[in-house]
Amino acid sequence: MGFTGHKDADIHLRMLSLNFPFDACQLPLNGFDAKFKSFQQRVLPELARRQIAAIGMKSLGGDGRAIKKRPPEWARRCVMR
């Protein structure tokens, strides 16, 4: 059994605070997530600590809008920082 969320890492952390024995968690993980409400920095470590499987989604930043209007080289530079 698992849970998912799309916008706010705080909601995931609240779900985890319930101490339910979740098996999996689906969360947004993408190259643009490094700083702003970061699921990567805030939720992933807690999932690992609890041995809950992480299922990443929105790998291109949701609908991909952030990279659709820019050349591929720009996206590679953002992800490889």
Side-chain angles (χ1 to χ4, degrees):
M1 176 161 312
F3 68 98
T4 186
H6 293 260
K7 296 192 185 245
D8 193 336
D10 288 335
I11 295 170
H12 277 67
L13 294 172
R14 279 197 303 253
M15 288 293 290
L16 292 169
S17 75
L18 300 174
N19 291 319
F20 185 85
F22 291 111
D23 298 304
C25 173
Q26 187 174 18
L27 65 161
L29 291 173
N30 61 74
F32 305 102
D33 182 50
K35 305 244 187 298
F36 180 74
K37 295 184 178 181
S38 179
F39 285 86
Q40 177 183 340
Q41 292 180 6
R42 299 179 65 214
V43 180
L44 267 183
E46 187 61 21
L47 294 177
R49 188 181 75 73
R50 295 172 185 242
Q51 297 183 337
I52 297 172
I55 303 168
M57 64 175 165
K58 298 184 178 184
S59 60
L60 295 177
D63 61 6
R65 184 180 332 163
I67 64 167
K68 285 180 182 175
K69 296 180 182 179
R70 294 187 169 97
E73 303 81 49
W74 178 86
R76 276 193 290 276
R77 282 195 312 267
C78 290
V79 173
M80 301 306 280
R81 286 185 183 178

